């Protein structure tokens, strides 16, 4: 009886060790896979705060929480199963999908650079003052903003998961599932945790500045935080754009090498440390410019229609 119990305990310990090894391996794989999608993550964190502009401070965190739940739903119900199925049944499609995602990132990055240069950006939706709307209108407006954010997140989530999966194609299926699940949860919490911090940073700064018993140094820090938030958000947008172009160019560089052209890879290797970064950003800009020029007639047509509809 005692021998059987010891054997069972041995089996349990062996299984626990194996599980620990699997978890350790998948954690390492998750970090490696998630690191590749840093550009999309930076863009996500830079874009999302605009969805809470115009709401009362008490509604900001609940809105971010709703968007976070929507992002997790996007990843686990739609994106993750689709990526795993595609990788299992049609692995040849992963590189073309990565290229399409890279071209989308390059287009968005170039479009932002073009707006900075020309000064002709998209008109942002004006802030809505909560007091000017009835509770029903405000609830409807909040639903519209949350749904819009979740739709945008679906595109970004798909890019993140495909990029992450590209680092896991040679791993066993179980490792892929666990690693992608860790990436999905980890990146979602990271992005929307950072977004929540950014959104509430000015409130924290204002609180520090207005506390009468607060030390002068902390009150000054609070004032600087409030005054510096617009500049900080602009800087975050610039970093997000650079990161998008870098990731897009990096994906295109590897894809071109996979299809037989190693030129960009060799160019990047000529200058240590920064060569690959510069080549990736330049390649991302060139690819974005090409896509932007190809899509410009459609953009003009849509803008014309929107303008005509607005005038009626």
């Amino acid at each position: 009886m005692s021998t059987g119990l010891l054997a069972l305990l041995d089996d349990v310990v062996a299984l626990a060790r194996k599980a620990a090894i699997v978890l350790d391996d998948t954690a390492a794989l998750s970090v490696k896979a998630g690191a590749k999608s840093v550009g999309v993550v930076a863009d996500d964190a830079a874009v999302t705060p605009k969805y809470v502009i115009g709401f009362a401070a008490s509604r900001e965190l609940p809105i971010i929480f709703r968007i976070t739940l929507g992002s997790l739903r996007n990843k686990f119900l739609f994106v993750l199963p689709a990526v795993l199925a595609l990788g299992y049944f049609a692995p040849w499609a992963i590189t073309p999908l990565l290229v399409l995602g890279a071209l989308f990132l390059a287009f968005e990055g170039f479009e932002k650079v073009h707006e900075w240069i020309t000064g002709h950006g998209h008109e942002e939706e004006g802030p809505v003052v909560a007091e000017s709307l009835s509770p029903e209108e405000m609830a409807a407006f909040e639903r519209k903003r949350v749904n819009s954010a979740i739709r945008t997140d679906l595109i970004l989530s798909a890019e993140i998961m495909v990029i992450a999966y590209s680092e896991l194609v040679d791993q066993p299926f179980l490792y892929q599932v666990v690693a992608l699940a860790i990436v999905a949860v980890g990146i979602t919490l990271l992005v929307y945790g950072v977004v929540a911090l950014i959104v509430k940073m000015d409130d924290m700064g204002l609180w520090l500045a207005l506390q009468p018993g607060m030390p002068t140094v902390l009150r000054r820090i609070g004032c600087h935080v409030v005054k510096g938030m617009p500049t900080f958000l602009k800087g975050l947008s610039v970093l997000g754009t650079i990161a998008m172009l870098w990731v897009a160019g990096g994906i295109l560089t590897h894809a071109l090498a996979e299809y037989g052209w190693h030129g960009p890879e060799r160019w990047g290797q000529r200058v240590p440390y920064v060569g690959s970064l510069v080549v990736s950003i330049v390649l991302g800009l060139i690819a974005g410019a090409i896509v932007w020029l190809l899509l410009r007639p459609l953009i003009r047509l849509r803008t014309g229609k929107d303008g005509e509809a607005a005038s009626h």
Side-chain angles (χ1 to χ4, degrees), residues 84-85 87-88 165 168 170-180:
L84 287 170
Y88 187 81
Y165 182 82
L168 304 168
D170 297 327
Q171 300 299 322
F173 184 74
L174 177 61
Y175 279 58
Q176 292 176 352
V177 173
V178 177
L180 285 178

Side-chain angles (χ1 to χ4, degrees), residues 102-263:
L103 291 175
F104 175 78
L105 287 176
F107 166 74
E108 285 214 324
F110 177 81
E111 191 174 38
K112 289 182 180 180
V113 171
H114 180 266
E115 289 170 6
W116 296 337
I117 293 173
T118 62
H120 299 297
H122 293 301
E123 291 296 324
E124 295 289 339
E125 191 173 0
V128 176
V129 181
E131 290 78 4
S132 67
L133 300 177
S134 69
E136 293 79 13
E137 290 172 330
M138 202 63 200
F141 180 70
E142 182 175 315
R143 281 195 301 272
K144 179 182 175 183
R145 277 284 183 88
V146 169
N147 290 337
S148 177
I150 292 173
R151 283 194 300 271
T152 301
D153 175 89
L154 180 61
I155 297 171
L156 296 174
S157 292
E159 292 171 8
I160 288 170
M161 300 306 283
V162 171
I163 292 171
Y165 182 82
S166 68
E167 289 292 308
L168 304 168
V169 289
D170 297 327
Q171 300 299 322
F173 184 74
L174 177 61
Y175 279 58
Q176 292 176 352
V177 173
V178 177
L180 285 178
I182 293 172
V183 169
V185 174
I187 282 184
T188 302
L189 295 181
L190 173 65
V191 167
Y192 293 105
V194 170
V195 168
L197 182 63
I198 291 170
V199 166
K200 301 307 290 184
M201 198 177 290
D202 55 347
D203 291 338
M204 290 187 285
L206 188 61
W207 181 83
L208 283 174
L210 296 180
Q211 290 301 307
M214 195 67 64
T216 305
V217 174
L218 293 180
R219 293 179 68 182
R220 286 178 179 172
I221 290 173
C223 290
H224 287 308
V225 168
V226 174
K227 291 178 182 176
M229 277 306 295
T231 303
F232 172 78
L233 290 174
K234 287 179 182 177
L236 185 64
S237 177
V238 171
L239 286 176
T241 300
I242 292 172
M244 276 197 298
L245 292 169
W246 167 47
V247 171
I251 292 171
L252 293 173
T253 297
H254 292 303
L256 289 170
E258 189 174 323
Y259 290 127
W261 187 39
H262 298 271

Side-chain angles (χ1 to χ4, degrees), residues 50-97:
K50 75 177 184 180
Y51 291 104
V52 298
I53 293 175
F55 292 99
S58 61
R59 293 304 305 157
E60 290 174 345
L61 291 182
I63 289 170
I64 293 171
F65 180 70
R66 289 176 62 189
I67 296 172
T68 303
L69 290 181
S71 177
L72 288 171
R73 186 172 63 247
N74 283 340
K75 290 179 176 71
F76 281 98
L77 292 185
F78 306 114
V79 179
L80 197 153
V83 169
L84 287 170
L86 195 64
Y88 187 81
F89 293 107
W92 53 266
I94 295 298
T95 298
L97 275 177

